[in-house]
Amino acid sequence: MDLEGLDPNRMPVHVACVMDGNGRWATKRGLPRTEGHRAGEEALFDAICGALELGLDWFTVYAFSTENWRRPADEVRFLLSVIADQLLLRRRAELNEMGVRIRFIGRRDWRVPKGVLKRMDESAEMTKHNRKMTFTVAFNYGGRAEIVDAVKALIDDGVPSRKVDIGAIKKRMYAPDMPDPDLVIRTSGEFRLSNFLIWEVAYSELVFTDVLWPDFRREHLAEAIREFQRRDRRFGGTRSGDREGAVEGDSDLAP
Ligand code: IPE
Ligand code: IPE
Ligand code: MG
């Protein structure tokens, strides 16, 4: 991979991707949309290898949204099998050897087939001690659902309103130990987040590219990080990287 122009001292800790454009990639080639998902899985594996080469600690992908159940049943079935059989069953041993810890965020509701849940649990269990990189798959994930679930947990835990602050909510998100993404990449030329990590991206840098996800390779990841390094993150302050200066005791100051 071409690491030219990348500043090793300013690498993002956490990069998240909205993998979009599989359907259009296939349609352009006169193929069924499902072929786009198959090719998208290859692209994902290359991106994971790139993320490792770049030394990222956290790499997260949006694989299936709470809204994706609206798609035709055949396509949903195929998407589930790409995730469960291709990505998890076929790749997990290799990912494990590479030191990747696989985790999942999303709702474990009745819509998710038992077999898929089982494969997710096995993959997470098998890789839980790996520390080279955490690869999180957002599956049956919706940002609004995540916030709703956190609010429900707050109520169930009997937290009084005066005790509700950012920390109390964050603690009840799907992955409380996951740092917020520094960089979010969306492929396929769409300029939206489509309900992805909407709480966590409060201060993320967003990079949009026209590349369709099945064409995405580690070089595109490096390019997006180059773009990230050209940005000036001020976190509401006046100086670059200005995360300091929060008023003591004001737990509602971000990030
Ligand atoms: C992304 O590609 C895959 C998922 C949403 C799971 P799409 O299937 O959305 O592809 P387009 O956007 O229709 O081209
Ligand atoms: C977002 O892509 C969801 C995933 C990548 C899993 P979509 O293709 O579902 O989003 P919209 O419909 O274009 O907003
Ligand atoms: Mg799409």
Side-chain angles (χ1 to χ4, degrees):
M1 183 173 23
D2 179 16
L3 301 177
E4 185 80 23
L6 271 175
D7 179 351
N9 298 315
R10 293 184 56 222
M11 291 301 285
V13 172
H14 182 186
V15 176
C17 287
V18 180
M19 310 185 285
D20 196 22
N22 294 354
R24 277 164 283 169
W25 181 91
T27 305
K28 253 179 42 185
R29 286 166 174 73
L31 300 168
R33 292 176 55 85
T34 46
E35 285 307 309
H37 299 315
R38 204 193 300 277
E41 195 275 332
E42 303 279 335
L44 173 55
F45 192 69
D46 198 70
I48 299 171
C49 296
L52 277 167
E53 259 178 72
L54 289 159
L56 300 183
D57 289 338
W58 299 79
F59 184 61
T60 300
V61 298
Y62 203 6
F64 194 88
S65 76
T66 46
E67 288 73 36
N68 286 146
W69 299 105
R70 290 185 187 141
R71 296 186 178 203
D74 280 355
E75 183 172 342
V76 167
R77 237 191 319 272
F78 192 87
L79 270 167
L80 297 184
S81 84
V82 163
I83 295 162
D85 302 333
Q86 301 292 309
L87 179 63
L88 297 183
L89 197 61
R90 192 158 74 93
R91 308 275 202 195
R92 67 185 176 197
E94 208 172 336
L95 291 172
N96 191 29
E97 266 168 43
M98 296 191 293
V100 175
R101 174 169 66 151
I102 306 174
R103 298 210 311 192
F104 298 87
I105 51 173
R107 267 198 182 154
R108 298 171 65 98
D109 63 20
W110 54 272
R111 294 181 293 191
V112 185
K114 291 259 178 329
V116 175
L117 285 178
K118 184 165 165 264
R119 209 148 282 169
M120 283 162 51
D121 290 342
E122 286 165 359
S123 310
E125 180 62 29
M126 174 177 182
T127 60
K128 71 178 178 193
H129 296 300
N130 293 339
R131 283 295 173 271
K132 210 166 165 76
M133 183 176 82
T134 302
F135 168 56
T136 307
V137 182
F139 174 77
N140 193 22
Y141 174 88
R144 287 183 172 175
E146 180 175 31
I147 295 169
V148 168
D149 289 348
V151 171
K152 285 184 179 173
L154 277 172
I155 295 169
D156 288 346
D157 293 345
V159 180
S161 65
R162 71 188 147 76
K163 289 246 170 104
V164 176
D165 58 12
I166 289 178
I169 295 175
K170 188 170 168 52
K171 213 170 96 182
R172 291 166 176 88
M173 300 301 258
Y174 295 142
D177 60 334
M178 181 175 83
D180 291 342
D182 300 292
L183 165 63
V184 176
I185 303 167
R186 179 165 188 151
T187 57
S188 89
E190 308 290 357
F191 295 95
R192 55 176 174 264
L193 291 169
S194 302
N195 204 11
F196 186 46
L197 301 177
I198 54 174
W199 166 276
E200 295 84 347
V201 298
Y203 272 98
S204 304
E205 293 299 327
L206 309 178
V207 169
F208 297 96
T209 164
D210 286 337
V211 174
L212 298 173
W213 180 260
D215 291 328
F216 195 88
R217 292 294 175 273
R218 59 190 86 185
E219 285 73 21
H220 298 108
L221 179 62
E223 187 48 45
I225 296 176
R226 260 181 227 109
E227 168 66 29
F228 166 84
Q229 293 187 340
R230 287 192 285 269
R231 305 274 177 93
D232 185 14
R233 305 181 80 191
R234 292 187 295 276
F235 300 98
T238 53
R239 290 165 298 142
S240 266
D242 210 352
R243 277 180 195 239
E244 308 306 320
V247 180
E248 192 78 14
D250 187 347
S251 51
D252 281 339
L253 275 176

